[in-house]
């Protein structure tokens, strides 16, 4: 069982978001980067699967050298080896193309991604990757079991659950419920230093999109507190000030 | 606060330290933070949480891998203690005592057989360790201890009590310093390992404390307790010298614990001072408040440098008694200072249990007392600088 897990390096969830270059670039100055939380779930589930039935887990990232702390962390958590494709992850198509090129040469049984990265929330890499590799993809899974070359997965759908089974190889993207993230232990941290982290140069054409501009949502207005025993005042305000009733 | 600026001194955070810090922080936020006040109020010692920390390597940080430990150094160790202490100083204290005292003593002075017997259990947190030097009547003046061990064939029979012992009731194994020679004979004290369940050995009264309430502090009672001579660590009569060496290292961990509390207090105060408005402006804009923050930040930075210096010497196996006493003395006083000022910056809110600084304030005081009071640290420092 050979599993590839796609890892993106994203700003910490508590980051105060600002932009530079006329609102076309995220301002990374002073920002702490982490493994995309959904990718961490995909990684953990991959490890659970290979720990049970044998196999290896490779983590792959398209990014520059500054992504290496996150990549090392995947090794500390338990990935056997890691690959960094040395390029700025410009957009989903480019990232998927780069990962596809690598995956073709390695024949993975299963490729896991997060349902989306929490920075740009595109949610496209998994599907594009499957298409480029000519294999099925299943989105937003909440569980996955693999037996005799077949993966059985669950996914949330409106008002219920869907069970899907699919022959390997395939691409699947992780939803929050997939598993509990794993905190690396100290031995893992030590071992990560000597596990292989391969740096691969970019291949193929660079067909990319360009960001024209970002915009932050308007700042939230203040909050008015009305004492519980003054319902009339609340109705008054909802009626005349907020104009919602 | 960071040590980022200290790279010139060679104390810049390594990739390893950063990962260890993140790991300890992630663990503390997820498994400790939600329970902090409950454990504090009810004086609950979270043994199972400690054992989870053991699985991550946090209870055997300095123990080589061959004995089941993480095999890391002092820099990673003090980094981890700080992150745990920022969230819960009690768990930080228990972690420091387990690693540096009990486990550290067996690691440093045990023979191969003893190390193989106890370290693998301690290093992964399967067993929690205690270390007993202090008695009711002998704290700073440990040499006058009364707890005796008399020879009986290939056993020692221990009688007496130890007080203020971290994990005195819950600990699965204890390294105990006992009198095997004459009173005041510095070669009259021996370190011996006593396992829980040994007849004649039990935990006694649990202290009801001002702070560090989730770290269990209790009495050890020995009544005709027979312990095999094979449990003696090092040579008979070397216990006192061993204990002083253990405390040299232990003090670095208390300095780290102090730093964790000081940084936790400072970070909370800094944030609050920027948010809290009085007289139409953030209180941080009053010089009286911003100068407090400047003092806190400066002293924390200095304490951190002293702590890293002591850790660096320890890693290089160089003499460090003076430096570790300085680090412990200074960092613990800074810790009390920072926690006190943090409460002041929070005003009335700082006096309530709704904000973490109230607990830091109570917890901080232990740091100037445990593992040698500030007065004793000054005594150690003075003795060394006057001799040189
Ligand atoms: C929470 C907690 C956990 C602890 N855990 C452990 C543990 O795991 N194992 C263990 O063995 N012990 C432990 N201790 C004990 C601790 O190490 C002692 O409390 C400490 O060494 C001080 O001893 P004492 O309390 O008897 O104070 P004393 O020695 O009685 O000191 C009282 C005061 O007199 C001062 N003083 C004493 N001698 C001198 C002197 N020569 N010159 C100037 N001033 C002096 C002291 O500085 C202090 O201000 C713990 C204590 C606490 C509070």
């Amino acid at each position: 069982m050979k599993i590839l897990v796609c890892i993106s390096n994203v700003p910490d969830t508590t980051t105060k978001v600002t932009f530079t270059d006329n609102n076309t670039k995220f301002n990374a100055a002073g920002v702490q980067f982490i493994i995309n939380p959904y990718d961490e779930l995909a990684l953990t589930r991959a490890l659970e699967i290979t720990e049970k039935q044998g196999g290896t887990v490779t983590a792959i990232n398209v990014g520059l050298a500054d992504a290496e702390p996150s990549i090392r962390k995947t090794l500390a958590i338990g990935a056997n080896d890691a690959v960094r494709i040395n390029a700025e992850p410009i957009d989903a198509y480019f990232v998927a193309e780069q990962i596809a090129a690598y995956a073709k040469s390695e024949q993975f049984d299963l490729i896991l991604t997060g349902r989306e990265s929490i920075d740009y929330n595109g949610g496209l890499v998994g599907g594009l990757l499957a298409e480029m590799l000519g294999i099925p993809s299943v989105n937003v899974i909440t569980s996955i079991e693999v037996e005799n070359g077949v993966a059985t997965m669950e996914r949330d759908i409106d008002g219920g659950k869907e069970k899907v089974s699919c022959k390997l190889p395939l691409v699947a993207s992780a939803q929050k419920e997939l598993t509990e993230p794993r905190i690396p232990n100290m031995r893992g941290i030590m071992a990560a230093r000597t596990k292989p982290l391969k740096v691969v140069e970019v291949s193929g054409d660079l067909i990319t999109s360009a960001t024209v501009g970002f915009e932050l949502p308007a700042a939230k207005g203040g909050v008015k507190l009305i004492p519980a025993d003054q319902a009339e005042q609340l109705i008054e305000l909802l009626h005349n000030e907020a104009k919602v009733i | 606060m960071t040590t980022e600026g200290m790279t010139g001194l060679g104390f810049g955070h390594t990739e390893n330290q950063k990962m260890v810090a993140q790991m300890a922080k992630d663990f503390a936020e997820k498994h400790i933070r939600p329970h902090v006040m409950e454990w504090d109020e009810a004086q609950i010692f979270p043994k199972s949480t400690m054992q989870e920390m053991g699985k991550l390597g946090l209870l055997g940080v300095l123990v080589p891998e061959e004995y089941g430990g993480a095999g890391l150094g002092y820099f990673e160790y003090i980094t981890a203690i700080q992150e745990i202490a920022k969230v819960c100083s009690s768990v930080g204290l228990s972690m420091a005592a387990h690693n540096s005292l009990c486990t550290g003593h067996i690691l440093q002075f045990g023979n191969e057989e003893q190390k193989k017997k106890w370290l693998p259990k301690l290093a992964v947190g399967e067993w929690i360790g205690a270390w007993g030097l202090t008695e009711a009547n002998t704290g700073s003046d440990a040499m006058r201890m009364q707890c005796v061990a008399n020879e009986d064939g290939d056993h020692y029979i221990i009688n007496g009590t130890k007080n203020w012992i971290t994990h005195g009731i819950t600990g699965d194994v204890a390294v105990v310093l006992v009198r095997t020679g004459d009173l005041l004979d510095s070669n009259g004290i021996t370190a011996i390992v006593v396992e829980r369940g040994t007849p004649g050995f039990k935990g006694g009264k649990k202290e009801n404390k001002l702070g560090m309430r989730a770290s269990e502090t209790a009495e050890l009672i020995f009544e005709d307790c027979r312990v095999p001579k094979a449990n003696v660590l090092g040579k008979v009569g070397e216990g006192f010298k061993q204990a002083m060496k253990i405390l040299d290292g232990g003090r670095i961990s208390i300095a780290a614990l102090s730093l964790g509390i000081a940084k936790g207090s400072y970070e909370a105060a800094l944030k609050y001072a920027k948010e809290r408005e009085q007289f139409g402006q953030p209180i941080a804009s009053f010089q009286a408040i911003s100068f407090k923050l400047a003092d806190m930040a400066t002293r924390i930075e200095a304490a951190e440098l002293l702590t890293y210096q002591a850790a660096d010497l320890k890693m290089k196996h160089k003499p460090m008694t003076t430096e570790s006493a300085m680090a412990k003395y200074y960092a613990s006083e800074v810790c009390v200072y920072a926690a006190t000022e943090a409460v002041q910056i929070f005003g009335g809110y700082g006096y309530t249990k709704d904000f973490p600084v109230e607990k830091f304030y109570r917890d901080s005081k232990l740091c100037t007392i445990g593992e040698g009071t500030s007065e004793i640290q000054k005594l150690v420092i003075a003795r060394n600088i006057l001799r040189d």
Side-chain angles (χ1 to χ4, degrees), chain A residues 1 53 145-151 166-168:
Chain A
M1 187 79 180
Q53 54 198 63
E145 298 294 338
V146 180
E147 218 173 327
N148 303 324
V150 177
C166 181
K167 261 176 81 176
L168 302 180

Side-chain angles (χ1 to χ4, degrees), chain A:
Chain A
M1 187 79 180
K2 264 177 79 171
I3 307 181
L4 181 70
V5 183
C6 306
I7 299 293
S8 64
N9 186 39
V10 298
D12 190 4
T13 42
T14 56
T15 304
K16 200 162 184 286
V17 176
T18 56
F19 301 103
T20 60
D21 293 14
N22 206 12
N23 281 342
T24 56
K25 259 203 148 102
F26 170 67
N27 180 10
V31 171
Q32 161 95 19
F33 280 79
I34 57 169
I35 301 175
N36 181 39
Y38 294 111
D39 302 350
E40 208 167 328
L41 299 178
L43 172 68
T44 308
R45 188 64 197 134
L47 292 168
E48 288 165 3
I49 292 170
T50 53
E51 277 160 13
K52 210 164 106 191
Q53 54 198 63
T56 58
V57 176
T58 301
I60 190 164
N61 166 264
V62 179
L64 300 174
D66 57 8
E68 288 202 0
S70 286
I71 305 174
R72 280 269 171 238
K73 189 173 171 194
T74 67
L75 296 171
I77 292 171
N80 299 79
D81 60 346
V83 179
R84 177 170 69 81
I85 300 183
N86 191 24
E88 202 172 327
I90 307 164
D91 64 18
Y93 187 88
F94 173 72
V95 169
E97 202 182 20
Q98 295 309 315
I99 296 175
Y102 182 80
K104 269 183 198 146
S105 67
E106 291 285 324
Q107 303 294 322
F108 291 97
D109 301 298
L110 177 63
I111 301 179
L112 294 176
T113 70
R115 56 168 280 188
E116 63 186 6
S117 61
I118 61 161
D119 47 5
Y120 301 103
N121 311 82
L124 292 168
V125 170
L128 287 168
L129 183 57
E131 184 65 25
M132 289 168 184
L133 292 171
I135 59 176
S137 85
V138 183
N139 246 350
V140 199
I141 59 167
T142 55
S143 78
I144 180 167
E145 298 294 338
V146 180
E147 218 173 327
N148 303 324
V150 177
T152 314
M153 292 153 283
E154 279 181 326
R155 42 193 312 278
D156 286 343
I157 51 175
D158 222 1
K161 265 185 192 320
E162 182 187 18
K163 267 199 171 173
V164 188
S165 91
C166 181
K167 261 176 81 176
L168 302 180
L170 74 118
V171 179
S173 72
Q175 168 67 314
K176 209 162 92 204
E177 292 75 16
L178 187 62
T179 187
E180 277 286 304
R182 218 180 252 192
I183 297 173
N185 62 31
M186 288 199 154
R187 277 203 198 184
I189 292 173
M190 283 297 274
R193 296 199 305 187
T194 49
K195 284 184 182 173
L197 194 173
K198 192 159 72 176
V199 179
V200 178
E201 291 308 322
V202 177
S203 63
D205 307 329
L206 288 174
I207 309 166
T208 58
S209 58
T211 302
V212 180
F214 292 111
E215 211 176 282
L216 285 172
K220 280 193 193 128
V223 174
K224 263 192 192 156
L225 289 173
I226 312 293
D229 55 2
Q230 292 176 24
E232 301 83 42
Q233 196 193 343
L234 177 66
I235 294 167
E236 211 281 315
L237 285 171
L238 288 172
H239 201 69
N240 295 325
E241 205 177 297
K243 297 197 166 59
V244 290
I245 51 173

Side-chain angles (χ1 to χ4, degrees), chain B residues 22-315:
Chain B
Q22 191 62 47
M23 173 268 254
K25 189 174 167 199
D26 286 349
F27 179 86
E29 290 296 342
K30 192 162 171 196
H31 300 284
I32 299 178
R33 174 86 72 199
H35 313 288
V36 169
M37 289 319 283
E38 179 200 338
W39 293 342
D40 180 69
E41 292 268 323
Q43 296 213 84
I44 295 167
F45 171 60
K47 184 172 183 184
S48 60
T49 304
M50 288 282 289
Q51 290 177 315
E52 287 301 312
M53 286 166 64
K55 288 185 194 154
L56 294 181
L58 290 166
L59 297 191
V61 185
L62 304 165
V63 176
E65 287 186 71
E66 55 179 308
Y67 305 114
L72 293 170
Y74 260 80
F75 284 6
E76 287 84 5
Y77 178 43
I78 60 183
T79 303
I81 291 181
Q82 285 183 60
E83 291 302 329
I84 299 289
K86 272 190 204 174
V87 175
C88 179
S89 358
S90 295
V91 177
L93 171 63
S94 278
M95 175 186 165
H98 175 98
N99 275 285
S100 279
L101 303 180
C102 178
T103 309
H105 203 137
I106 296 172
L107 176 64
Q108 210 169 324
F109 297 105
N111 59 34
E112 197 51 36
E113 202 179 315
Q114 293 168 329
K115 287 199 260 192
K116 282 203 177 111
K117 184 168 179 189
W118 291 301
L119 290 180
K121 290 197 173 90
L122 287 164
V124 298
E126 188 185 329
W127 280 14
I128 298 298
W131 189 79
L133 173 70
T134 309
E135 295 178 7
N137 295 323
T138 58
S140 304
D141 186 13
M143 194 114 88
R144 270 177 222 265
M145 67 174 62
Q146 307 281 335
C147 191
V148 292
N150 292 313
E151 278 188 84
D152 181 27
D154 51 8
H155 281 73
Y156 273 105
I157 299 179
I158 309 178
N159 276 292
T161 59
K162 292 283 165 185
N163 290 70
W164 303 102
I165 307 309
T166 302
H167 314 143
I169 294 169
T170 308
D172 301 281
V173 62
V175 172
V176 189
L177 283 304
V178 290
R179 170 160 304 293
T180 47
D182 292 333
L183 191 71
L184 289 181
D185 175 2
S186 65
N187 294 318
I189 291 169
T190 300
I192 193 160
V193 179
V194 187
E195 290 186 12
R196 185 69 55 190
T198 309
F201 169 43
K202 61 178 185 204
K205 178 177 171 254
K206 176 170 162 170
E207 302 299 339
N208 183 0
K209 306 194 298 293
L210 167 72
M212 298 290 189
R213 290 169 60 83
S215 179
E216 176 187 278
T217 314
E219 194 179 18
L220 302 179
I221 302 174
F222 301 92
E223 290 164 343
D224 289 329
C225 175
R226 281 172 69 83
V227 182
K229 281 184 175 168
N231 287 16
V232 168
L233 296 172
K235 292 206 182 83
V236 171
E238 282 182 350
F240 193 75
K241 283 186 201 110
Q242 292 175 3
M244 292 306 112
K245 287 230 168 68
I246 291 305
L247 288 174
D248 280 348
R251 281 168 188 155
I252 300 177
S253 72
I254 301 298
L257 174 68
S258 307
L259 274 175
I261 299 173
K263 289 183 192 176
S265 306
Y266 165 77
E267 284 164 15
L270 182 67
K271 183 161 176 278
Y272 188 80
K274 287 194 222 164
E275 288 167 2
R276 172 73 173 173
E277 288 192 2
Q278 289 293 283
F279 300 95
Q281 51 192 308
I283 58 169
S285 68
F286 304 129
Q287 195 182 62
I289 300 295
S290 66
F291 275 20
K292 281 190 200 302
L293 292 166
D295 269 327
M296 288 159 90
T298 308
R299 293 185 201 186
I300 289 170
E301 200 86 3
E304 185 154 31
L305 279 168
L306 280 176
T307 308
Y308 271 81
Q309 171 176 266
D312 189 44
L313 291 169
K314 175 83 188 163
M315 288 302 289

